[in-house]
């Protein structure tokens, strides 16, 4: 063997070794704790009301899907592959919290929303939504309640399971929100079985309302009807990834993905039909008409409260209200994935009077948005190396 060939083989072996080390490091990073950044990265980005200061609290999160704000100033963050992590106020990221339910992490499925129970300060309970595996490669949206410990969950109980479970990788929803009367609302998708949204014996494409323990409220609109699931609050929805309850009025707001065009906001009322796929402002991704669609409106079906003819791809929703000192008071925020922005809708009561798109110069897909009690806005970016951001509103003029 010549010396040149020996050197070539040694170099190749060294490169393979380094490549293996890189792969091992990536796997370790996914399962271990990550230290706080030595210095927070900040950005200045324009808005109609002045410069916004954007602070990167944490980075290196794998497709983070939802963030919950903890009373101690820290955060809980879900990563779609199935990990739940604590993020400290200084940006340190914990190792994955143990005993999270098994998730079906394919396509759009995985670990999805996380919210604190209304009595979290006393109970330490949280709610998680996720894609739950079923038989023969099927899956469906599910919700579990658990007690949050320092490093693991305990008393994990599944309180909701979408039925029937279906095969396919997309349209699971799913966001969670509480009203002030002891109910939890659960958004879902129709699992790309379009007409399932119209079939009341199925839970796909439905907004569900349950009691906090998962039981069915006696006053749900379809209780007692043999052909309908009693969990259903409203139906005819496509893929709802945004949900919030207006703290001023208690009104439920949800936003959902249209197909190619036709993303919409609805204020769902009990028992009402919101039309998908019979009524839509969108078309198929192929460019053809949705085969079941009959137009943009139809008697007996509710028109969207607000619609985008070009889809920003909405995910996450939060109100910033009752903050008179904030330049963003009376705003509704929505994350936009395809548009790479944070949408701010200015409200007068329930009326949407103006739209502004924030963060576009930074070029990030925005997956979730939450607002703290002091009016700070927190955002997750949907990336392989996703970020948790804090937005400080423009200074008052």
């Amino acid at each position: 063997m010549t010396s040149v060939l020996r050197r070539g083989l040694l170099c190749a072996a060294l490169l393979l070794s380094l490549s293996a080390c890189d792969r091992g490091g990536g796997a370790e990073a996914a399962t271990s704790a990550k230290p706080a950044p030595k210095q927070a990265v900040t950005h200045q980005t324009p808005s109609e009301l002045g410069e916004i200061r954007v602070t990167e609290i944490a980075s290196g999160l794998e497709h983070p899907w939802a963030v919950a704000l903890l009373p101690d100033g820290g955060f809980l963050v879900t990563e779609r592959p199935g990990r739940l992590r604590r993020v400290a106020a200084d940006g340190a990221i914990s190792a994955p919290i143990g005993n999270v339910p098994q998730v079906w992490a394919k396509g759009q499925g995985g670990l999805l929303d996380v919210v604190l129970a209304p009595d979290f300060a006393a109970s330490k309970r949280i709610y998680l939504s996720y894609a739950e595996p079923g038989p023969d490669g099927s899956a469906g949206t599910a919700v579990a309640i658990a007690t949050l410990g320092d490093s693991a969950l305990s008393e994990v109980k599944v309180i909701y399971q979408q039925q029937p479970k279906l095969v396919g990788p997309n349209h699971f929803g799913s966001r969670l929100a509480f009203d002030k009367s002891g109910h939890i609302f659960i958004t879902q998708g129709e699992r790309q079985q379009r007409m399932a949204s119209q079939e009341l014996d199925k839970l796909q494409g439905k907004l569900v309302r349950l009691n906090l323990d998962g039981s069915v409220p006696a006053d749900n609109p379809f209780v007692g009807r043999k052909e309908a699931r009693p969990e259903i609050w409203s139906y005819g929805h496509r893929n709802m990834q945004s949900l919030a309850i207006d703290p001023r009025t208690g009104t439920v707001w949800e936003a959902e993905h249209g197909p190619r065009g036709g993303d919409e906001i609805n204020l769902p009322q009990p028992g009402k039909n919101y039309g998908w796929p019979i009524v839509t402002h969108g078309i198929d991704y192929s460019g053809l008409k949705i085969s079941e669609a009959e137009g943009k409106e139809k008697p007996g079906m509710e028109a969207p409260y607000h619609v985008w003819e070009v889809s920003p791809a909405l995910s996450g929703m939060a109100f910033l209200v009752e903050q008179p000192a904030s330049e963003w008071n009376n705003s509704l925020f929505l994350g936009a994935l395809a548009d790479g922005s944070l949408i701010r809708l200015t409200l007068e009561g329930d009326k949407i009077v103006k739209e502004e798109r924030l963060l576009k110069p930074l070029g990030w897909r925005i997956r979730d948005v939450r607002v703290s009690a002091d009016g700070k806005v927190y955002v997750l970016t949907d990336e392989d190396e996703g970020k948790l951001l804090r937005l400080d509103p423009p200074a008052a003029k």
Side-chain angles (χ1 to χ4, degrees), residues 242 257 263 311-316 333-343 357-358 360 364-369 379-380 382:
S242 308
H257 294 265
D263 286 13
S311 293
L314 304 170
S315 184
F333 291 93
L334 297 107
L337 297 162
D339 189 65
S341 67
L342 179 67
I343 298 174
R357 301 201 179 188
L358 308 172
K360 279 186 73 73
W364 294 322
R365 289 165 50 88
I366 305 302
R367 172 62 73 181
D368 196 18
V369 53
V379 163
L380 285 178
D382 178 35

Side-chain angles (χ1 to χ4, degrees), residues 170-186:
N170 297 324
H171 294 194
F172 293 92
S174 164
R175 297 288 178 186
L176 310 173
F178 304 105
D179 66 15
K180 293 183 179 179
S181 302
H183 305 116
I184 182 171
F185 287 85
I186 303 166

Side-chain angles (χ1 to χ4, degrees), residues 25-348:
E28 182 181 354
T31 57
S32 64
K34 303 177 184 181
K38 293 180 180 179
Q39 184 173 358
V41 177
T42 61
H43 309 266
Q44 297 291 126
T45 187
S47 79
E48 293 177 1
L49 298 174
E51 289 287 315
I52 303 168
R53 181 182 175 88
V54 180
T55 302
E56 295 187 17
I57 296 173
S59 60
L61 297 158
E62 186 177 358
H63 291 283
W65 212 91
V67 56
L69 313 184
L70 293 168
D72 65 1
F75 311 86
L76 287 178
V77 175
T78 59
E79 293 176 301
R80 199 173 68 227
R83 295 182 289 271
L84 175 67
R85 296 186 187 265
R86 288 179 183 265
V87 177
D90 67 358
I93 301 172
S94 75
I97 293 171
N99 209 22
V100 169
Q102 181 186 2
V103 307
W104 194 86
K106 300 178 183 179
Q108 295 172 0
L111 186 58
L112 304 174
D113 209 7
V114 57
V115 294
L116 308 184
D119 65 348
F120 176 82
S123 70
K124 305 303 179 189
R125 293 184 303 168
I126 65 171
Y127 289 75
L128 294 167
S129 69
Y130 55 100
E132 179 185 54
D136 302 319
S138 65
T141 303
V143 176
I145 186 172
T147 301
L148 177 66
D150 290 340
S151 59
L153 303 179
S154 62
E155 303 174 288
V156 179
K157 179 184 177 183
V158 179
I159 64 165
Y160 174 75
Q161 294 170 301
Q162 184 188 73
Q163 297 294 343
K165 285 187 167 61
L166 299 175
V167 173
N170 297 324
H171 294 194
F172 293 92
S174 164
R175 297 288 178 186
L176 310 173
F178 304 105
D179 66 15
K180 293 183 179 179
S181 302
H183 305 116
I184 182 171
F185 287 85
I186 303 166
T187 74
Q188 304 164 93
E190 31 67 303
R191 302 287 282 107
Q192 292 189 303
Q193 301 292 316
R194 295 193 292 234
M195 285 305 294
S197 293
Q198 294 292 321
E199 297 167 356
L200 293 174
D201 62 339
K202 298 179 176 62
L203 289 167
Q204 284 78 13
K206 313 303 190 300
L207 178 62
V208 160
R209 186 181 76 147
L210 302 175
N211 296 317
L212 297 185
D213 62 0
S215 60
V216 175
D219 61 346
N220 268 10
F222 296 105
V223 167
R225 285 180 51 173
K226 292 183 179 180
E227 78 283 8
R229 298 289 305 220
E231 302 96 328
I232 296 171
W233 179 257
S234 61
Y235 65 108
H237 301 286
R238 186 173 181 269
N239 187 24
M240 298 176 279
Q241 290 190 358
S242 308
L243 181 69
I245 294 180
D246 188 338
R248 303 168 300 175
T249 62
T251 301
V252 179
W253 293 56
E254 66 86 12
E256 58 196 79
H257 294 265
R260 186 173 172 182
D263 286 13
E264 60 188 53
I265 292 175
N266 296 297
L267 278 56
Q269 300 297 307
K272 298 290 187 179
N273 181 354
Y274 289 83
W276 175 255
I278 297 169
V279 172
T280 179
H281 284 245
I283 59 174
D284 204 342
Y285 294 110
S286 67
L288 300 176
K289 177 179 175 290
I290 298 294
S291 59
E292 301 89 347
E294 298 179 17
K296 294 182 178 180
E297 57 185 28
K298 183 177 180 178
M301 296 184 179
E302 305 302 307
Y305 188 72
H306 187 79
V307 66
W308 287 265
E309 298 293 342
V310 177
S311 293
L314 304 170
S315 184
M317 176 189 281
F319 283 91
L320 195 163
V321 295
E322 300 173 336
Q323 296 281 343
S326 173
E327 289 291 289
W328 285 344
N329 191 36
N330 295 326
S331 293
L332 178 65
F333 291 93
L334 297 107
L337 297 162
D339 189 65
S341 67
L342 179 67
I343 298 174
R344 185 176 76 88
L345 301 177
T346 302
L347 304 175
E348 291 180 0

